Amino acid sequence: MQRYKDAKKLIFVPLCLCAFVFIKIFPCEVSAQQLDTTKIYNLQDIEVLGERITEERSTAPLQILESRQLENLNAFQVSDAVKHFAGVSVKDYGGIGGIKTVSVRSLGSTHTAISIDGIPVNDCQTGQVDIGRFSLENVDNLSLVNGQSDDIFQPAKLFASASVLSIQSKSPSFSENKKYNINIGSKFGSFEFFNPFLVYSQKLNRNFALNIDSEWMQADGDYPFTYKNGGQTVHEKRNNSDVKKLRAESSLYGRFSDFDKLQLKLYYYQSEQGLPGNITFYNSNSSSERIAEKNFFAQAHYNNNLSSKWAVQANTKYNYSYFKYLNQEVKENIYNQDEYYLSASTLFKPFRSLSLSLVCDGFYNSLDADLDNFAYPERYTLLSVLSGKYDSQTLSATASLLSTLVNEQIKTGKAGLDEQKLSPYASLSYKPFKKEELRLRFFYKNIFRLPSFNDLYYTNISNPKLKPENTNQYNAGITYVVRVKNILPIQITADIYYNNVTNKIMAVPKQSIFIWSMENVGEVEIKGLDITAGTRILYTKKRGISLQGSYTYQEAINITKGIKEYGHQIAYTPRFSGTGNCTIETRWFDISYSILISGKRYSLGQNIAGNSLSGYVDMGISLKRRFEFKNFGFFIQAEVLNLLDDNYEIVKSYPMPGRAFRASVVFSF
């Protein structure tokens, strides 16, 4: 009981101190335009008054995909679009309902934080988030930052990961004398895919607007595939790949003055789907595994620009997750997660070019399950960040120090270790030539990832003595913007990086090959190069050709001494990968072509022929057209996916669908 009380103090006392500091700040009237790290939205026309951090000015590698770019990528879910970022690998278990997790620069999915509208999404059970559940229908932009964003006025959780994938929803925007917007439509395609959706925005009054976004998706997922079985070519059809998903969101946007704003969001998601079998031992009638998920969260964000020197913001969230696993051969297993989250931060701007911030986040996470002798873990986490930013025309620099305090409690067994750590970060961007848009950038970050509840408490293989994985990241790069007549700026970025992961958590055999345990025995060394380029060539005042591309080379080597995998490339990491997209705008329609390329990989840590996975090329093409009338708009799109009809494997023995077709119809009022 005393430990429980201490844990409560651990979190709530510093948060109360932060709140006390905020109360002591007296507001004064001054234009919010001087606060470069805060956005202010006008519900009339969504005017952004604050400075936006762009890809070329960022001190750390930043990649952004706007909504129009997302339309050109033949992407249905966030997981499809993320594949077009440099340095990213998405582990995809096949099919539209397959689980999809994202790893950045070979650090693993547990080192990537996900945020929706600036507030983090967590999964303490597995430590990773399935990004296949997030739709692109109402997404304004996706951004991925390696290391840390230059925005120092954000939740501490977004300082506490090696990379951050941010999903930003579209804010309501109304034309003059109009109080509502409706987008209603559907996508449909191969394998009985059907996806109706509705986005409705309502201007409630001068200060408030409401946005409702909902969709239903279903597919049988039983696509044909071909694979090699010894010397024979076998033709089969996936089964137990059906999926049904429902997602509903409601957001309230409020603006009380030119200085303060409020956003409330309710989110509900549920799915029920089969898990197709591993084709190595594939039997069309053997796969009986099914999962069902439910997720609900309510979150609030409040921001107030108190004066030309001070700003405050607060975030709060409640998150509930339900997961059921069912196999006909065993009884069902049910897991429930609860999370309570509170964040408070203040920004101080003593000079025009200098900003300082203090952020405090508190988390409470719990997990229960219908398992015998389950630990029922609870985790209390306090994250505090002190950071600073200097920004001028020629020099930008950020630095931060993250403090992490973690307390674990369980009902049965032995609890995981409590943690106290300090994590530094520093970055720099320098423009050496006044007339050239060339910038040099560098960053260093030390960060770690906590063991998940599964690592610590999963039956038979868990280890409560696990330490966090420790990561050191180094990056050096350039950004260059070339301006050519009749061509919009050509933007080029190139970054070389070195990552070192120690205390890597791995499953290792103990007394026999049938008894395993999670141990801190791994060390991985990662060296890589990321290159991106993009431009738009105008051949009329309104039409042009857009070009985007990226290339990644990685050596992700296991340097754990005394194991067979020493010196080998880690699993599912190709030496090279690349993406490309070309969109041509014409008076009749727009045509887009996209390509994903991946080199050879290995499904396990030993780089032997039996573990080899061939490289692949995935191409898609689409035609789209918008029709604008006086009172409504009409959008149609037709897509061909996987033009080569190749059942390539991202995860071994889980073939991807071959050639498929998809169409979209949207009406706007």
Side-chain angles (χ1 to χ4, degrees):
M1 181 59 69
Q2 182 61 40
R3 191 181 186 192
Y4 173 78
K5 292 179 179 178
D6 291 343
K8 291 179 70 176
K9 292 179 181 179
L10 182 72
I11 290 180
F12 293 110
V13 169
L15 289 175
C16 291
L17 290 175
C18 287
F20 177 77
V21 172
F22 299 160
I23 293 171
K24 290 296 183 182
I25 300 171
F26 297 97
C28 62
E29 295 185 3
V30 128
S31 171
Q33 293 184 356
Q34 298 180 38
L35 283 168
D36 64 344
T37 54
T38 306
K39 292 182 182 178
I40 297 181
Y41 294 95
N42 185 323
L43 294 178
Q44 311 280 329
D45 52 13
I46 313 302
E47 180 184 5
V48 181
L49 299 179
E51 180 185 346
R52 179 176 179 177
I53 299 170
T54 58
E55 294 169 273
E56 65 272 12
R57 286 185 60 89
S58 176
T59 61
L62 172 66
Q63 301 174 75
I64 302 173
L65 288 172
E66 305 287 354
S67 56
R68 281 300 182 96
Q69 293 173 294
L70 294 171
E71 285 182 4
N72 299 333
L73 295 180
N74 304 114
F76 166 61
Q77 301 165 315
V78 167
S79 56
D80 300 324
V82 168
K83 294 176 183 179
H84 290 265
F85 285 136
V88 166
S89 60
V90 175
K91 189 174 287 188
D92 191 329
Y93 288 83
I96 199 166
I99 296 172
K100 299 167 178 63
T101 58
V102 58
S103 172
V104 180
R105 293 185 170 181
S106 300
L107 292 175
S109 55
T110 51
H111 285 275
T112 303
I114 312 294
S115 76
I116 297 180
D117 295 340
I119 299 180
V121 179
N122 283 333
D123 187 321
C124 272
Q125 180 182 356
T126 64
Q128 57 191 11
V129 177
D130 177 11
I131 61 172
R133 69 172 57 178
F134 302 124
S135 169
L136 289 172
E137 192 52 49
N138 196 44
V139 171
D140 183 58
N141 66 74
L142 292 177
S143 65
L144 176 71
V145 63
N146 291 292
Q148 198 165 289
S149 170
D150 288 347
D151 181 6
I152 64 172
F153 198 38
Q154 61 179 350
K157 174 63 177 176
L158 303 185
F159 290 80
S161 296
S163 59
V164 178
L165 173 64
S166 299
I167 305 169
Q168 186 65 46
S169 303
K170 292 179 181 177
S171 301
S173 178
F174 304 97
S175 58
E176 190 175 358
N177 300 323
K178 191 174 182 182
K179 292 188 176 182
Y180 70 91
N181 294 315
I182 299 175
N183 284 343
I184 185 170
S186 181
K187 299 177 182 179
F188 44 89
S190 302
F191 321 123
E192 299 187 17
F193 169 68
F194 178 54
N195 175 220
F197 54 87
L198 168 69
V199 180
Y200 173 76
S201 301
Q202 176 70 52
K203 184 177 180 181
L204 301 178
N205 55 39
R206 184 178 179 180
N207 296 326
F208 288 94
L210 178 68
N211 190 81
I212 297 173
D213 174 20
S214 62
E215 68 172 344
W216 168 261
M217 190 274 284
Q218 68 179 43
D220 71 1
D222 293 339
Y223 52 88
F225 66 94
T226 302
Y227 73 104
K228 299 288 185 180
N229 187 0
Q232 293 184 325
T233 299
V234 180
H235 302 279
E236 281 282 5
K237 190 174 184 180
R238 290 303 253 167
N239 87 314
N240 198 40
S241 298
D242 61 294
V243 58
K244 296 179 180 179
K245 295 183 179 182
L246 170 67
R247 179 186 59 85
E249 300 180 36
S250 178
S251 299
L252 180 68
Y253 294 82
R255 179 178 174 181
F256 306 102
S257 70
D258 290 340
F259 309 105
D260 58 333
K261 66 176 183 178
L262 173 72
Q263 181 183 352
L264 306 175
K265 178 184 283 288
L266 298 177
Y267 174 96
Y268 178 76
Y269 169 87
Q270 71 174 41
S271 69
E272 197 274 328
Q273 65 191 75
L275 295 178
N278 180 313
I279 67 167
T280 304
F281 306 103
Y282 188 80
N283 184 308
S284 60
N285 298 312
S286 66
S287 181
S288 61
E289 296 175 296
R290 301 193 68 82
I291 59 173
E293 294 181 88
K294 295 179 182 179
N295 178 223
F296 166 80
F297 68 73
Q299 66 183 38
H301 167 81
Y302 175 73
N303 176 280
N304 194 326
N305 295 334
L306 299 173
S307 72
S308 61
K309 294 184 179 295
W310 290 95
V312 295
Q313 69 176 2
N315 300 291
T316 186
K317 182 176 184 177
Y318 169 72
N319 182 73
Y320 169 76
S321 296
Y322 166 92
F323 180 87
K324 180 172 73 173
Y325 170 82
L326 178 64
N327 191 325
Q328 292 179 0
E329 299 176 359
V330 298
K331 72 172 187 176
E332 67 181 25
N333 297 138
I334 297 177
Y335 299 87
N336 293 280
Q337 291 187 64
D338 284 284
E339 177 183 82
Y340 297 88
Y341 167 65
L342 178 64
S343 174
S345 55
T346 185
L347 178 73
F348 175 52
K349 194 173 178 66
F351 310 106
R352 183 180 181 85
S353 57
L354 179 65
S355 303
L356 304 171
S357 73
L358 172 65
V359 188
C360 298
D361 285 13
F363 290 85
Y364 166 79
N365 297 92
S366 65
L367 175 68
D368 64 55
D370 61 343
L371 301 175
D372 295 334
N373 300 316
F374 190 66
Y376 299 99
E378 295 178 320
R379 175 176 289 173
Y380 297 85
T381 306
L382 175 67
L383 304 175
S384 303
V385 183
L386 181 62
S387 57
K389 175 183 175 182
Y390 176 83
D391 192 17
S392 68
Q393 289 296 318
T394 58
L395 179 66
S396 296
T398 63
S400 67
L401 185 64
L402 167 69
S403 168
T404 303
L405 301 175
V406 180
N407 175 260
E408 298 270 345
Q409 298 182 28
I410 62 174
K411 292 185 178 179
T412 61
K414 185 175 181 180
L417 302 174
D418 292 344
E419 298 293 342
Q420 298 184 21
K421 285 188 175 293
L422 293 175
S423 303
Y425 171 81
S427 65
L428 176 71
S429 174
Y430 176 63
K431 183 181 178 183
F433 309 111
K434 185 176 181 180
K435 295 184 178 181
E436 292 288 340
E437 287 298 321
L438 172 69
R439 293 177 183 270
L440 310 177
R441 63 186 181 191
F442 310 88
F443 87 74
Y444 164 75
K445 184 169 188 175
N446 172 260
I447 200 62
F448 65 94
R449 76 99 169 169
L450 289 168
S452 69
F453 283 162
N454 279 357
D455 294 334
L456 293 167
Y457 308 115
Y458 195 80
T459 306
N460 297 328
I461 69 168
S462 61
N463 180 1
K465 296 182 180 180
L466 287 175
K467 300 176 182 179
E469 291 184 357
N470 187 69
T471 301
N472 285 296
Q473 298 172 266
Y474 303 85
N475 186 97
I478 63 169
T479 67
Y480 188 40
V481 179
V482 184
R483 303 187 185 277
V484 183
K485 186 178 181 181
N486 295 329
I487 299 178
L488 293 184
I490 302 173
Q491 183 174 300
I492 302 169
T493 71
D495 291 271
I496 57 173
Y497 54 89
Y498 172 81
N499 300 330
N500 180 264
V501 185
T502 56
N503 285 335
K504 190 168 181 63
I505 299 171
M506 301 174 64
V508 298
K510 301 300 287 183
Q511 294 94 331
S512 71
I513 61 172
F514 302 104
I515 302 177
W516 293 62
S517 179
M518 307 304 294
E519 301 287 347
N520 289 110
V521 297
E523 184 174 0
V524 175
E525 189 175 68
I526 303 159
K527 302 173 185 177
L529 166 69
D530 287 342
I531 300 174
T532 70
T535 190
R536 186 163 180 251
I537 303 170
L538 295 175
Y539 51 82
T540 71
K541 290 184 178 180
K542 295 183 178 180
R543 299 186 180 95
I545 301 174
S546 297
L547 300 170
Q548 302 285 335
S550 70
Y551 172 82
T552 295
Y553 178 82
Q554 290 185 93
E555 287 187 359
I557 306 300
N558 191 332
I559 57 172
T560 306
K561 295 181 179 179
I563 64 172
K564 295 179 180 179
E565 295 85 357
Y566 178 82
H568 291 203
Q569 186 90 342
I570 64 174
Y572 292 110
T573 302
R575 293 274 181 173
F576 76 90
S577 59
T579 71
N581 176 260
C582 174
T583 298
I584 303 174
E585 302 163 353
T586 74
R587 60 181 298 183
W588 303 282
F589 52 78
D590 296 346
I591 180 170
S592 296
Y593 168 82
S594 61
I595 184 171
L596 296 169
I597 302 172
S598 175
K600 183 175 72 173
R601 296 143 295 134
Y602 294 90
S603 60
L604 295 174
Q606 281 189 277
N607 296 174
I608 58 177
N611 296 332
S612 177
L613 277 174
S614 300
Y616 63 85
V617 176
D618 187 342
M619 295 185 288
I621 192 169
S622 69
L623 298 175
K624 63 179 183 290
R625 173 73 187 271
R626 295 180 185 274
F627 300 88
E628 298 292 342
F629 303 97
K630 183 176 180 180
N631 296 319
F632 74 97
F634 180 52
F635 173 81
I636 56 173
Q637 183 174 25
E639 302 170 87
V640 184
L641 312 173
N642 196 350
L643 283 169
L644 299 180
D645 196 26
D646 180 17
N647 296 121
Y648 62 88
E649 297 167 278
I650 295 179
V651 176
K652 188 176 179 61
S653 302
Y654 287 86
M656 298 294 288
R659 188 180 299 114
F661 303 90
R662 189 166 62 212
S664 306
V665 179
V666 184
F667 296 91
S668 302
F669 303 92

